[in-house]
Amino acid sequence: MTMIPKPSDRSALEQEQFLKILSREEALARFEAALFPRALPIEMRQLVAALGAALAEDITAPIDVPPFDRSNVDGFAVRSADLAAAGEGAPVRLTLNAEIIHCGTAPRMQVAAGTATPIATGGPLPRGADAVVMVEHTQPAGLDAIDVRRAVSPGQFVSYAGSDIARGEALLRAGTIIGSREIGMLAACGIAKVTVARKLRVAVISTGDELVQPGEALAPAEIYDTNGAIVAAAIDENGGEAIFLGAVPDDEAQLEAAMRRALEDADMLVLSGGTSKGAGDLSHRIIGRLGQPGIIAHGVALKPGKPLCLAVCDGKPVVILPGFPTSAMFTFHDMIVPVLRRMAGLPPRSDAKVGATVPVRIASELGRTEFVMVSLVEGKDGHLIAYPSGKGSGAITSFAQADGFLRIDALADQMPAGTETEVTLFTPHVRVPDLVIVGSHCTGLDLVTAQLAHAGLAVRSIAVGSIGGLAAAKRGECDLAPIHLFDDKSETYNTPYLVEGLELVPGWRRMQGIVFRKGDTRFEGLGAKEAVAAALADSACIMVNRNQGAGTRILIDRLLGGARPEGYWNQPRSHNAVAAAVAQHRADWGMTIAPVAHAAGLGFIPLAEEHYDFALVTARKDRPAVQAFLDALGSDEARAALERAGFRPA
Ligand code: AMP
Ligand code: MG
């Protein structure tokens, strides 16, 4: 049930929200002030289970390591004074004592003057001996004596007790993250259990009537709960223990019950959704009843992520992340991870950063710190170029395809093209792709690049449209720019748009046509022109258009001949969105490409073939990955795959 406030409640509700937008720094400072200092939750763990945890106490070495004077080599324990005069021409004969000291054998006999005791690496030095001579530096003299032809200094090849770790020495400090080396030190001292910071238990709740868990079927108007999975994973990545409690509908009583239950057990509660202005904004009202001091910040000057809500309820942080997955992710990493790690006794996260240039102007909202996801490619001189890859705060794929993000200061209203900036990487290292494709996207492209990927080449494909791709190719920032640009004057595709330094590689043809729902008698059996005429004749018939600049849009406008039927201003940016609008009855017809229409189970009336080709940067033609792409494009395998998907290879 969605709670729509009565009009009388509404202005109060609106006032309650975003009463005061805080800067990112101010919000974080207030949040931390309300939470720290605080005691670290601790627990005892077995050594092997302590990997990755923060040590909660200083550890003092309880014993000497090694615990006794130890031989470092296989040889003979000797008295150095016996060998003071030994030399190449003056061997000294030593009588062997009647014992052999292996590792783990305690010596029984003293090494008296003129004697030696055979000793293995790791064996304890016997009483009387003060050095070890290597077996390689001796000759046997009968069964019970050796000759030594070089002098030894006292302490030679001996590790003294406590020389590695001395009893009473500070071994490890509280706060140290336990890795394999630390585990080694603790094991050497015989320590089997350590007190570490306990993993922070963080409850995760998604909110929204529309949410369905992955694995279940989607009903109309429902979406999969993305935030639950992302936030839980990000908590585990940062040393916490996520307790995912599923999605709760936008119902005040249910949500309050779930939040109270979560706080009984967890150290922290992270919700997502329900923070944007308007109906259904319940969580922050509930927080007011859960404990003191309650809400610290509601509305932070961050983009994405303005609706972030930070609260502390009786010592436990309660956070409401924005609903859009990328917004949820950014705010979580930027504002929550530092607090989570500090509460868990972990050091701040160290993210890798690189310098890069932005090739295009990025507009930004004044007054909000803005994070922009970017894909990195190598420019002409090997310098990194950062392409903004954001598809808006609702897009989850931008996260997976991006290499990192850049930050635009709250006081800037743009980042001009050519700015040298810092990119925070999502992974520890930059993965510079072998082949860079920038331009118009087509599902057919994946069928060709699949071969390269299987051969181990990293292909980066950045969708910026045909015109953007051409610009990138001219600047030498990509290998290939896929384009489908119709030239009205010459009535041809693509070739008229090429400039010096670029050459055309023919790709494939995509049949453009009218889509409609199968069985719609207004369109069934007609040609494209007649179908459009029939649609225009029926005032109840709604179309779906395409965005300005799309090749498809040019065809639609030609067909409409100046008419502006209902739905004309609905201008989605992709072939798939057109098919979805028709399939879901939001529109009755539109124009898309045949493979998309068929995949959506729609009727299709072919109109004209569009040429999807590649502008190849000539200077990059000899690169092995470019050659591999050209080979793949011409291969029987790719051609067959393209045909199966409904494309016609050129
Ligand atoms: P809200 O803040 O609840 O108004 O949500 C803003 C947008 O984010 C809406 O489009 C929601 O459907 C979407 N959203 C909210 N929670 C989730 C979630 N857990 N997974 C994916 N999308 C979500
Ligand atoms: Mg919601």
Side-chain angles (χ1 to χ4, degrees):
M1 186 185 73
T2 306
M3 301 286 289
I4 298 185
K6 294 192 292 287
S8 57
D9 297 345
R10 209 172 232 171
S11 61
L13 189 77
E14 273 161 15
Q15 270 171 18
E16 226 176 301
Q17 296 174 54
F18 305 130
L19 207 53
K20 190 157 185 295
I21 304 267
L22 299 179
S23 74
R24 166 186 175 273
E25 290 70 24
E26 175 73 17
L28 199 54
R30 289 195 193 182
F31 193 38
E32 294 197 323
L35 287 168
F36 301 104
R38 65 195 286 125
L40 200 65
I42 56 172
E43 68 185 10
M44 192 82 129
R45 267 198 238 164
Q46 292 291 334
L47 204 51
V48 281
L51 185 69
L55 206 54
E57 55 183 1
D58 288 345
I59 293 192
T60 303
I63 58 161
D64 284 327
V65 179
F68 47 82
D69 297 349
R70 187 172 67 182
S71 172
N72 276 342
V73 295
D74 288 340
F76 301 91
V78 296
R79 300 166 72 107
S80 56
D82 284 350
L83 298 171
E88 262 319 307
V92 173
R93 182 154 300 180
L94 298 173
T95 315
L96 294 181
N97 294 306
E99 73 169 338
I100 297 175
I101 304 168
H102 296 291
C103 262
T105 334
R108 286 174 294 103
M109 300 172 73
Q110 182 165 340
V111 175
T115 71
T117 300
I119 189 166
T121 307
L125 213 63
R127 182 180 160 88
D130 61 14
V132 177
V133 54
M134 273 169 98
V135 68
E136 292 90 331
H137 298 154
T138 64
Q139 287 86 40
L143 280 179
D144 55 3
I146 51 167
D147 285 340
V148 184
R149 284 194 154 77
R150 56 170 87 186
V152 304
S153 47
Q156 173 178 287
F157 299 129
V158 178
S159 287
Y160 287 103
S163 57
D164 187 353
I165 300 168
R167 177 190 307 200
E169 181 185 355
L171 190 61
L172 290 169
R173 294 282 177 200
T176 305
I177 302 301
I178 301 177
S180 53
R181 290 170 300 164
E182 287 73 20
I183 286 185
M185 291 169 75
L186 294 163
C189 289
I191 296 171
K193 287 179 179 169
V194 281
T195 307
V196 296
R198 170 169 67 68
K199 275 198 175 180
L200 219 56
R201 282 196 294 271
V202 186
V204 178
I205 297 177
S206 302
T207 72
D209 295 332
E210 75 279 25
L211 301 179
V212 174
Q213 292 307 313
E216 287 163 23
L218 274 188
E222 290 181 340
I223 59 170
Y224 284 118
D225 174 9
T226 316
N227 295 345
I230 302 183
V231 173
I235 287 167
D236 288 349
E237 274 176 356
N238 285 284
E241 180 188 335
I243 307 159
F244 180 49
L245 300 174
V248 175
D250 293 310
D251 172 88
E252 193 149 355
Q254 280 189 58
L255 192 56
E256 181 161 350
M259 288 168 78
R260 285 187 185 280
R261 230 179 299 123
L263 280 173
E264 272 169 25
D265 180 47
D267 302 301
M268 180 169 178
L269 170 59
V270 180
L271 299 125
S272 67
T275 71
S276 45
K277 223 166 173 174
D281 187 0
L282 310 168
S283 336
H284 83 280
R285 277 212 303 271
I286 299 170
I287 287 176
R289 303 192 285 266
L290 291 183
Q292 290 307 314
I295 290 178
I296 306 277
H298 187 200
V300 179
L302 269 179
K303 188 176 181 181
K306 182 167 154 195
L308 177 69
C309 177
L310 305 174
V312 175
C313 298
D314 296 342
K316 294 185 179 180
V318 177
V319 170
I320 312 174
L321 302 174
F324 280 129
T326 42
S327 308
M329 239 9 236
F330 268 113
T331 46
F332 185 79
H333 278 289
D334 191 52
M335 306 282 288
I336 315 306
V337 165
V339 169
L340 178 95
R341 296 185 71 98
R342 191 168 162 196
M343 280 178 73
L346 299 171
R349 219 183 142 87
S350 54
D351 288 319
K353 295 186 166 118
V354 292
T357 306
V358 294
V360 289
R361 173 182 177 273
I362 308 173
S364 176
E365 192 181 316
L366 199 62
R368 286 164 76 185
T369 303
E370 183 155 351
F371 296 100
V372 179
M373 276 182 271
V374 295
S375 293
L376 292 170
V377 301
E378 231 170 9
K380 266 187 187 140
D381 46 3
H383 185 86
L384 289 175
I385 311 278
Y387 265 96
S389 63
K391 292 184 183 174
S393 54
I396 184 70
T397 48
S398 14
F399 240 116
Q401 283 154 16
D403 294 303
F405 59 89
L406 56 82
R407 203 177 129 165
I408 304 179
D409 197 80
L411 298 175
D413 65 350
Q414 62 152 324
M415 183 173 272
T419 303
E420 174 67 25
T421 186
E422 189 178 70
V423 173
T424 303
L425 299 177
F426 288 139
T427 54
H429 306 287
V430 191
R431 302 160 297 173
V432 175
D434 299 299
L435 185 74
V436 180
I437 301 174
V438 180
S440 163
H441 185 73
C442 174
T443 49
L445 196 52
D446 303 333
L447 303 174
V448 179
T449 55
Q451 284 184 37
L452 278 71
H454 296 159
L457 294 170
V459 180
R460 164 70 41 80
S461 154
I462 300 173
V464 296
S466 298
I467 298 285
L470 267 182
K474 287 177 196 167
R475 290 192 302 261
E477 289 167 7
C478 62
D479 299 297
L480 294 146
I483 52 173
H484 53 106
L485 291 166
F486 188 69
D487 177 50
D488 257 336
K489 235 186 279 156
S490 61
E491 302 240 330
T492 56
Y493 270 98
N494 300 332
T495 318
Y497 290 88
L498 297 185
V499 295
E500 212 188 305
L502 301 181
E503 56 193 88
L504 196 82
V505 175
W508 49 88
R509 309 279 188 262
R510 318 193 291 191
M511 183 54 83
Q512 294 270 9
I514 305 288
V515 267
F516 60 95
R517 286 180 300 281
K518 282 181 182 158
D520 189 333
T521 51
R522 287 172 297 194
F523 303 104
E524 206 74 78
L526 299 182
K529 291 197 178 68
E530 300 80 64
V532 172
L536 291 177
D538 179 357
S539 61
C541 196
I542 299 183
M543 76 168 292
V544 50
N545 203 349
R546 276 297 305 278
N547 55 301
Q548 276 288 357
T552 311
R553 172 63 175 268
I554 299 172
L555 295 175
I556 296 173
D557 279 338
R558 283 182 156 200
L559 268 181
L560 288 176
R564 296 280 183 273
E566 171 93 14
Y568 184 86
W569 300 108
N570 181 16
Q571 304 183 348
R573 305 190 65 88
S574 79
H575 296 300
N576 289 55
V578 169
V582 175
Q584 293 161 10
H585 292 253
R586 279 176 284 120
D588 301 307
W589 71 276
M591 189 173 295
T592 189
I593 56 174
V596 169
H598 294 144
L602 294 170
F604 184 75
I605 307 168
L607 172 68
E609 263 192 340
E610 182 182 62
H611 296 211
Y612 184 87
D613 299 323
F614 298 88
L616 168 65
V617 178
T618 307
R620 295 203 179 207
K621 199 173 175 176
D622 292 332
R623 300 179 64 177
V626 174
Q627 286 303 317
F629 177 84
L630 297 177
D631 291 346
L633 185 61
S635 70
D636 292 341
E637 194 185 330
R639 296 174 72 89
L642 284 165
E643 271 166 19
R644 269 196 307 279
F647 301 104
R648 199 164 67 79

